[in-house]
């Protein structure tokens, strides 16, 4: 009996060959994989089928101090993106995205060149899409080209009682062209406030107080050369005798000591590149490229002006800072964080300033 059972045991061991055992294992593994796949697909299909929403990031744009995320809904039902994560940092948003359509989510974010960012968008039901995106190696330098006919950028009227306006300007004309070109205007009613190059070839900085006292400062404007960049700065002080000044490329070009009273009511939406009303400023527009437009609520010193000109921008006392680095769209963001954004006018996108290469220090 002992020998028989032992033989049976040996026969049992030989009943399944190694090849057959291997085949059985393969069959079991494949069957398990099929079951897992079927379960997961069934679960995901049920999840997406019930929700009908599918967020996808189509594109990420790095512009100025912003990140613009193009989100598409590949699902059959509308969705709402309620959170964006950049390298794990959460940003609350509320961005509806209709089924089959795309929307742009714009976030204020100071990004670094050549750096990679993990960006995740999450919709209200918890579905998300995540990817890694690398910022460009050089921050784009954009600006706006004004046609000189009717193009302008309008901003809110936030001009202070004393302050500084500065910007870079590249004319499409020479300073002795005998034509008028308005660079900035906030004139309203019978009070003017403007910067232009007039038909007499003078660079003019002119403003009035509420009692119609006229401060006019003119310097020779024939220095302008076509397609050359110039750093233009004007300063003023209401309720004082100034001095009120013009700087060109960091050098004081003109100064006037003249007493003015209270600031008058100015145009509700001052214009960069064109006049506001048919009054004192030149009828022709800027006809050139404008970049890095800033307004301060203090009179900058020559040292501070030179610092700004070199690209080391003074950020204190800023009221408006339009870098024009968006490179697209009909709105330019105020980088001073005061919300004084600019709008491309008179009609975006068909009749308004156009995006071109900007000034690089």
């Amino acid at each position: 009996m002992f020998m028989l059972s032992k033989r049976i045991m040996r026969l049992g061991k030989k009943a399944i060959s190694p090849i057959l055992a291997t085949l059985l294992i393969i069959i079991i593994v494949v069957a398990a994989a099929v079951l897992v796949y079927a379960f997961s697909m069934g679960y995901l299909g049920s999840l997406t089928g019930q929700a009908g929403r599918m967020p996808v990031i189509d594109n990420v744009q790095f512009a100025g101090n912003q990140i613009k995320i193009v989100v598409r809904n590949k699902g059959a039902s509308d969705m709402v993106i309620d959170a964006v994560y950049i390298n794990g940092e959460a940003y609350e948003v509320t961005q509806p995205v209709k089924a089959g359509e795309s929307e742009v989510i714009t976030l204020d974010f100071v990004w670094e060149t050549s750096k990679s960012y993990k960006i995740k968008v999450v919709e209200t039901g918890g579905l998300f899409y995540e990817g890694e995106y690398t910022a460009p190696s050089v921050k784009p330098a954009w600006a706006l080209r004004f046609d000189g006919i009717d193009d302008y950028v309008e901003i809110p009227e936030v001009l202070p009682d004393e302050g500084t306006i500065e910007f870079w300007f590249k004319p499409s004309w020479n300073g002795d062209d005998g034509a008028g070109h308005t660079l900035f205007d906030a004139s309203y009613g019978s009070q003017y406030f403007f910067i232009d190059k007039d038909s007499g070839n003078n660079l003019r900085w002119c403003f009035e107080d509420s009692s119609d006292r006229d401060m006019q400062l003119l310097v020779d404007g024939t220095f302008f050369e076509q397609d050359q960049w110039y750093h233009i700065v004007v300063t003023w002080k209401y309720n004082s005798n100034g001095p009120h000044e013009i700087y060109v490329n960091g050098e004081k070009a003109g100064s006037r000591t003249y007493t003015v009273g209270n600031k008058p009511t100015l145009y509700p939406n001052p214009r960069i590149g064109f006049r506001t009303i048919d009054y004192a400023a030149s009828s022709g527009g800027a006809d050139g490229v404008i970049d890095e437009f800033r307004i301060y609520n203090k009179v900058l010193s020559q040292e501070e002006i030179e610092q700004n000109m070199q690209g080391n921008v003074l950020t204190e006392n800023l009221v408006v800072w339009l870098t024009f680095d968006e490179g697209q769209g009909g709105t330019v963001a105020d980088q001073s964080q005061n919300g004084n954004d600019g709008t491309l006018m008179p009609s975006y996108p068909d009749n308004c300033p156009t995006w071109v290469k900007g000034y690089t220090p």
Side-chain angles (χ1 to χ4, degrees), residues 23-264:
L23 289 173
L24 286 172
I25 292 171
I26 292 173
I27 291 170
I28 292 170
V29 170
V30 170
V34 169
L35 288 172
V36 170
Y37 176 78
F39 173 79
S40 62
M41 289 304 293
Y43 173 75
L44 291 176
S46 173
L47 183 62
T48 56
Q50 291 175 7
R53 306 180 297 272
M54 190 178 298
V56 174
I57 297 177
D58 274 346
N59 188 24
V60 173
Q61 301 167 0
F62 298 84
N65 289 327
Q66 294 180 328
I67 291 182
K68 298 183 178 183
I69 306 164
V70 182
V71 179
R72 181 160 50 98
N73 182 359
K74 292 181 67 177
S77 300
D78 296 348
M79 68 179 182
V80 176
I81 301 296
D82 65 355
V84 175
Y85 293 83
I86 302 178
N87 285 353
E89 183 177 354
Y91 294 81
E92 292 185 5
V93 298
T94 303
Q95 179 59 66
V97 187
K98 292 183 178 180
E101 297 186 6
S102 299
E103 296 291 346
V104 179
I105 298 174
T106 301
L107 299 175
D108 291 330
F109 188 87
V110 181
W111 50 273
E112 299 177 26
T113 56
S114 302
K115 184 174 180 178
S116 293
Y117 294 92
K118 289 184 178 179
I119 298 177
K120 179 168 71 173
V121 295
V122 184
E123 58 88 45
T124 51
L127 296 174
F128 67 89
Y129 186 95
E130 185 174 24
E132 189 165 325
Y133 306 87
T134 302
S137 58
V138 178
K139 284 207 172 188
W142 291 93
L144 285 172
R145 167 76 171 84
F146 297 77
D147 65 7
I149 301 173
D150 59 358
D151 286 354
Y152 61 94
V153 170
E154 69 174 21
I155 60 174
E157 201 291 274
V158 289
L159 292 161
D161 285 345
E162 67 172 79
T164 302
I165 293 175
E166 72 168 333
F167 54 91
W168 284 95
F169 178 56
K170 182 170 71 171
S172 299
W173 38 266
N174 291 316
D176 60 356
D177 67 346
H181 305 281
T182 293
L183 306 181
F184 178 80
D185 193 14
S187 304
Y188 188 56
S190 61
Q191 275 81 34
Y192 54 69
F193 186 109
F194 67 87
I195 308 166
D196 76 352
K197 199 281 288 182
D198 68 6
S199 58
N201 300 328
N202 299 297
L203 175 59
R204 299 193 297 175
W205 164 220
C206 303
F207 64 92
E208 295 179 85
D209 66 13
S210 59
S211 299
D212 276 341
R213 286 181 58 82
D214 304 336
M215 199 302 295
Q216 299 182 352
L217 178 58
L218 283 66
V219 300
D220 184 4
T222 58
F223 65 85
F224 283 114
E225 293 184 12
Q226 183 178 359
D227 295 330
Q228 297 298 312
W229 282 106
Y230 297 91
H231 188 247
I232 307 297
V233 177
V234 300
T235 69
W236 72 93
K237 285 185 179 182
Y238 283 105
N239 294 307
S240 79
N241 63 354
H244 318 289
E245 299 172 325
I246 298 176
Y247 291 82
V248 178
N249 291 343
E251 298 294 329
K252 188 181 295 183
S255 179
R256 185 178 182 189
T257 300
Y258 183 81
T259 300
V260 290
N262 295 327
K263 174 190 167 185

Side-chain angles (χ1 to χ4, degrees), residues 147 150-151 329-330 344-354:
D147 65 7
D150 59 358
D151 286 354
L344 277 62
M345 299 292 285
S347 176
Y348 175 82
D350 299 322
N351 183 22
C352 63
T354 54

